[in-house]
Amino acid sequence: KAKEAGKGTYVIYGRDMQQHFDERMVIESHLRNAIANQELSLHYQPLVDTASGGIWGFEALIRWNSPVLGFVSPLSFIKIAEDCRLIVPIGEWVLRTACQFIKDLHGQGYEGYHISVNISVIQLMLDDFTDMVLGVLQETGLPPEYLELEITESIFMESFEAISTKLESLKEKGIGIALDDFGTGYSSLSYLKQLPITTLKIDKSFIDSIDTPNNMSLARSIVTIGHDMGLNVTAEGVETPEQLAFLERTRCDKIQGYFISKPIPQQDVADWVKGRRAG
Ligand code: C2E
Ligand code: MG
Ligand code: MG
Ligand code: MG
């Protein structure tokens, strides 16, 4: 193929591949020490209960400030962390830090808030995943009903049976299971029925242009399907009052997005909650 395209094309193509590879190696090598060097932190984005307007809880979102590379987006390093399996210790660090934080918040008089944590399919494939999660809850003292795990449709590509069994046992303990970025992946509705989940999280792409009739009916259908299956439905990426009004009308259970708040650094969360409660 490269030969057909001609020598010049081959050289350019080759150099891009090399650059791409180098970039991954650089990120991987710096990521390797990121936990120990305390370069990772969590931001928390509020999730609001649509009916009451009250705060349901927060989604924990990882941030990496590398002294060499600067701020690196999770959109660029999570995939690399998955490929080199660094996501295993990183994911455990995220879960422990987030559970500890929300438990501390409860202790400071901010009771009842939940925490949603993104889990990679690589973590879900580990034999000791269930024990790891239960261990973190025990260590931090956070009751299981305040934790929600966010998984993605990529689990349908992996050892589906084994993963389902683990999720089922966590769900039985009272932990919530949300299917994140719903609608962008591979899942058919028949698969969805087999999956032990409690929440559907509608992907931002369906919320983005809710004023176009097609997207509006898609978003509305997802809410209906979710409710018919006995699930809660969350909308992510809500940016405008029009989107919020539409989601209220369709009885979407929870909303999350810049219209409520961007993700907040850990040390600023209590102040944000105070401000919102004050009016
Ligand atoms: P996600 O789990 O779907 O998280 C939502 C992403 O959308 C976040 O990006 C959030 O900041 C962004 N977002 C929320 N509301 C709005 C909005 O109204 N407008 C716009 N434009 N964006 C909004 P972020 O923090 O950059 O994270 C990107 C992705 O990286 C996440 O998507 C998730 O897949 C992954 N990720 C983040 N933290 C972790 C983690 O701790 N573990 C794992 N495995 N993945 C993570
Ligand atoms: Mg998420
Ligand atoms: Mg999401
Ligand atoms: Mg998303």
Side-chain angles (χ1 to χ4, degrees), residues 42 45 59-63 73-75 78 82 87 90-91 94 117-121 123 150 152 180-181 201 203-204 208 236-239 256-259 261-263:
L42 294 182
Q45 190 176 30
E59 178 178 10
L61 293 158
I62 196 167
R63 297 292 177 262
S73 164
L75 293 171
I78 292 291
E82 287 178 334
I87 195 67
I90 290 174
V94 169
V117 177
N118 292 286
I119 302 293
S120 161
V121 64
Q123 294 175 273
E150 295 195 6
T152 64
D180 202 357
D181 305 325
K201 237 179 143 173
D203 190 67
K204 180 181 189 307
D208 270 343
E236 68 173 17
V238 179
E239 292 181 344
Q256 175 184 15
Y258 292 177
F259 185 66
S261 170
K262 289 197 168 179

Side-chain angles (χ1 to χ4, degrees), residues 29-250:
S29 69
H30 289 100
L31 196 54
R32 213 160 271 286
N33 299 312
I35 299 182
N37 294 348
Q38 302 187 324
E39 296 163 16
L40 301 177
S41 64
L42 294 182
H43 285 201
Y44 295 86
Q45 190 176 30
L47 284 123
V48 163
D49 180 87
T50 317
S52 70
I55 303 164
W56 175 83
F58 300 87
E59 178 178 10
L61 293 158
I62 196 167
R63 297 292 177 262
W64 178 25
N65 187 6
S66 157
V68 182
L69 306 171
F71 284 99
V72 186
S73 164
L75 293 171
S76 31
F77 75 81
I78 292 291
K79 183 76 187 72
I80 297 172
E82 287 178 334
D83 291 346
C84 65
R85 306 188 67 81
L86 276 172
I87 195 67
V88 174
I90 290 174
E92 186 171 340
W93 176 87
V94 169
L95 183 70
R96 182 172 288 108
T97 306
C99 289
Q100 188 64 61
F101 172 67
I102 216 74
K103 170 75 186 173
D104 290 347
L105 214 54
H106 289 180
Q108 291 160 29
Y110 303 102
E111 277 139 30
Y113 294 155
H114 298 78
I115 186 73
S116 248
V117 177
N118 292 286
I119 302 293
S120 161
V121 64
I122 305 290
Q123 294 175 273
L124 287 164
M125 286 163 67
L126 297 173
D127 287 340
D128 66 352
F129 177 73
T130 310
D131 291 340
M132 186 279 283
V133 173
L134 297 176
V136 167
L137 288 176
Q138 198 153 36
E139 280 167 47
T140 58
L142 183 71
E145 56 270 28
Y146 293 109
L147 175 63
E148 181 177 79
L149 305 179
E150 295 195 6
I151 61 169
T152 64
E153 292 168 79
S154 55
I155 64 157
F156 292 111
M157 310 282 284
E158 299 299 335
S159 2
F160 179 73
E161 289 292 322
I163 290 177
S164 289
T165 307
K166 290 173 209 170
L167 293 175
E168 182 68 56
S169 77
L170 291 170
K171 190 182 145 191
E172 272 167 19
K173 300 267 195 267
I175 297 169
I177 313 285
L179 190 56
D180 202 357
D181 305 325
F182 180 71
T184 60
Y186 323 89
S187 53
S188 72
L189 291 173
S190 58
Y191 265 130
L192 200 58
K193 258 189 3 206
Q194 299 171 36
L195 199 59
I197 54 175
T198 54
T199 298
L200 276 188
K201 237 179 143 173
I202 312 176
D203 190 67
K204 180 181 189 307
S205 56
F206 298 104
I207 310 302
D208 270 343
S209 39
I210 245 168
D211 33 73
T212 70
N214 267 345
N215 266 349
M216 196 184 265
S217 58
L218 269 174
R220 190 183 287 121
S221 305
I222 295 175
V223 176
T224 306
I225 289 169
H227 285 165
D228 285 352
M229 294 177 69
L231 304 172
N232 282 301
V233 183
T234 301
E236 68 173 17
V238 179
E239 292 181 344
T240 70
E242 290 77 19
Q243 291 166 355
L244 173 60
F246 170 82
L247 292 161
E248 280 171 348
R249 281 200 304 281
T250 58

